[in-house]
């Protein structure tokens, strides 16, 4: 429980104290673990920060992550948050404690009135009180979703109709060479001058810089190929859409119906999620730095 000793002398933060039990500490560790991992991944992949390797799992992983991020030990951090000098944290805690007490009183009244057929009304009172006061200052557990590219239509015809009727957000016109960012689903102009920035970079290169830290994949609609951009290098990977014989149709020359090949699209997703664009020999062979900014 979160405890606040009674005090009749003053309501200042220094007159109250908060006890954090081992159960609270375990709960806090489980909640901060996903956020610490995201911070570590960002520092390692985007800022190229080198630090000690994190542990394999459990509490050791959290301690290692905090050491990697150069944070103080968790008990010290909690002590600082619960310090009497931290007036804001004490206001939050007092609000939380008063809300818990209010909800407990309503529950007790509900138990006392079980024989009076008022259960439904009391349950509604509990729900409305929880929503009004906001007792869940500590959020619930949530599942970390795996990395995924945007969902694509099953048929290429549907994708083509969508891309050739949706205007670009930069030039506000339907592009003659449209592309789809597979990270966020935005429509971009591929290799055109209308959306080139002041430095001469094409929209794909510019979009990749703020969409996914200069590592991005674009489906070039009128060629069916996937354009991969990683920093100052680019390569064409192929197409996730195949015909009934399992073959691509570059530039739609054959005009055969194309359908999304989930296995190939999953392969592309895995390449990007595992940061293997530079390690894949086929992509490395096809990649080039010449005219990289042109896209």
């Amino acid at each position: 429980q979160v405890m606040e000793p009674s005090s009749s002398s003053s309501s200042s933060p220094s007159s109250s104290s908060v006890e954090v039990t081992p159960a609270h500490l375990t709960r806090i560790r489980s909640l901060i673990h996903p956020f610490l991992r995201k911070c570590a991944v960002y520092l390692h992949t985007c800022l190229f920060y080198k630090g000690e390797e994190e542990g394999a799992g459990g509490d050791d992983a959290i301690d290692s992550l905090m050491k990697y991020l150069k944070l103080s030990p968790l008990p010290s951090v909690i002590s600082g948050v619960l310090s009497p000098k931290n007036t804001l944290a004490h206001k939050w805690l007092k609000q939380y404690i008063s809300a818990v007490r209010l909800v407990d009183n309503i529950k007790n009244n509900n138990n006392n009135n079980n024989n009076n057929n008022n259960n439904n009304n009391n349950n509604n009172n509990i729900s409305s009180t929880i929503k009004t006061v906001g007792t869940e200052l500590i959020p619930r557990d949530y599942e970390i979703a795996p990395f995924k590219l945007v969902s694509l239509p099953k048929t290429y015809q549907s994708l083509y109709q969508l891309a050739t009727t949706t205007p670009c957000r930069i030039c506000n016109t339907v592009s003659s060479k449209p592309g789809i960012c597979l990270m966020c689903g935005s429509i971009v102009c591929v290799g055109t001058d209308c959306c080139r920035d002041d430095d001469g970079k094409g929209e794909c290169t510019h979009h990749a810089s703020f969409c996914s830290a200069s590592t991005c994949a674009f489906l070039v609609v009128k060629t069916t190929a996937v354009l991969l951009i990683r920093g100052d290098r680019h390569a064409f990977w192929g197409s996730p859409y195949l015909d009934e014989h399992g073959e691509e149709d570059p530039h739609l020359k054959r005009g055969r119906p194309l359908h999304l090949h989930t296995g190939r699209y999953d392969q592309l997703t895995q390449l990007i999620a595992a940061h293997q664009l530079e390690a894949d020999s086929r992509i490395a062979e096809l990649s080039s730095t010449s005219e990289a900014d042109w896209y």
Side-chain angles (χ1 to χ4, degrees):
Q1 297 179 355
V2 180
M3 303 177 63
E4 182 185 34
S6 61
S7 176
S8 59
S9 59
S10 173
S11 61
S12 63
S14 60
S15 64
S16 61
S17 62
V18 178
E19 177 185 356
V20 179
T21 65
H24 289 141
L25 193 62
T26 301
R27 175 68 168 167
I28 292 172
R29 283 178 172 272
S30 65
L31 289 170
I32 67 173
H33 191 194
F35 176 73
L36 294 180
R37 287 187 62 87
K38 291 178 181 179
C39 292
V41 169
Y42 174 77
L43 287 176
H44 180 74
T45 58
C46 298
L47 303 181
F48 306 104
Y49 173 72
K50 302 297 183 181
E52 297 184 10
E53 296 181 356
E54 64 176 89
D59 291 346
D60 293 339
I62 297 177
D63 294 336
S64 183
L65 281 169
M66 297 192 70
K67 187 176 181 181
Y68 175 82
L69 298 171
K70 295 185 178 180
L71 299 175
S72 301
L74 186 58
S76 300
V77 174
I78 296 176
S79 299
V81 172
L82 301 182
S83 171
K85 297 181 180 180
N86 195 336
T87 58
L88 181 60
H90 274 262
K91 289 180 180 178
W92 288 341
L93 289 170
K94 287 182 179 179
Q95 178 190 8
Y96 177 75
I97 292 169
S98 62
V100 170
R101 288 173 178 170
L102 179 60
V103 173
D104 287 341
N105 290 335
I106 296 176
K107 289 181 178 179
N108 291 333
N109 292 333
N110 181 47
N111 293 332
N112 294 332
N113 296 329
N114 282 335
N115 297 327
N116 296 329
N117 297 324
N118 292 326
N119 294 339
N120 293 334
N121 293 333
N122 288 322
N123 288 333
N124 293 333
N125 289 336
I126 293 175
S127 300
S128 61
T129 303
I130 291 176
K131 293 179 180 179
T132 303
V133 181
T135 59
E136 287 194 4
L137 296 181
I138 299 179
R140 298 179 181 179
D141 291 328
Y142 62 93
E143 296 182 359
I144 301 177
F147 173 81
K148 290 184 179 180
L149 298 176
V150 297
S151 299
L152 295 177
K154 297 293 184 181
T155 64
Y156 199 76
Q157 181 181 2
S158 300
L159 178 77
Y160 190 91
Q161 291 177 347
L162 176 65
T164 54
T165 55
T166 304
C168 169
R169 294 188 298 177
I170 302 298
C171 61
N172 294 321
T173 60
V174 177
S175 176
S176 60
K177 297 180 179 179
I180 300 177
C181 175
L182 298 180
M183 298 290 191
C184 66
S186 298
I187 300 294
V188 298
C189 296
V190 182
T192 59
D193 295 330
C194 57
C195 299
R196 204 169 298 280
D197 61 15
D198 297 336
D199 297 329
K201 295 181 179 180
E203 186 180 358
C204 291
T205 302
H206 178 71
H207 180 86
S209 64
F210 68 82
C211 177
S212 52
S214 297
T215 300
C216 206
F218 300 89
L219 179 61
V220 185
V221 176
K222 294 191 175 181
T223 67
T224 74
V226 174
L227 170 65
L228 300 175
I229 293 180
R230 166 69 171 168
D232 60 347
R233 303 187 68 86
H234 72 278
F236 286 96
W237 182 76
S239 175
Y241 284 88
L242 305 177
D243 62 16
E244 60 181 357
H245 302 293
E247 298 178 349
E248 299 180 13
D249 188 6
H251 299 276
L252 303 174
K253 291 182 178 180
R254 291 194 292 259
R256 294 177 178 175
L258 301 177
H259 296 82
L260 180 65
H261 191 282
T262 56
R264 178 172 282 204
Y265 198 49
D266 290 342
Q267 182 184 1
L268 176 62
T269 302
Q270 182 62 28
L271 280 173
I272 298 175
H275 304 281
Q276 295 294 313
L277 295 183
E278 296 177 345
D280 187 276
S281 59
R282 181 172 175 269
I283 296 177
E285 181 181 355
L286 298 175
S287 65
S288 173
T289 57
S290 62
E291 298 182 350
D293 293 343
W294 186 80
Y295 294 103

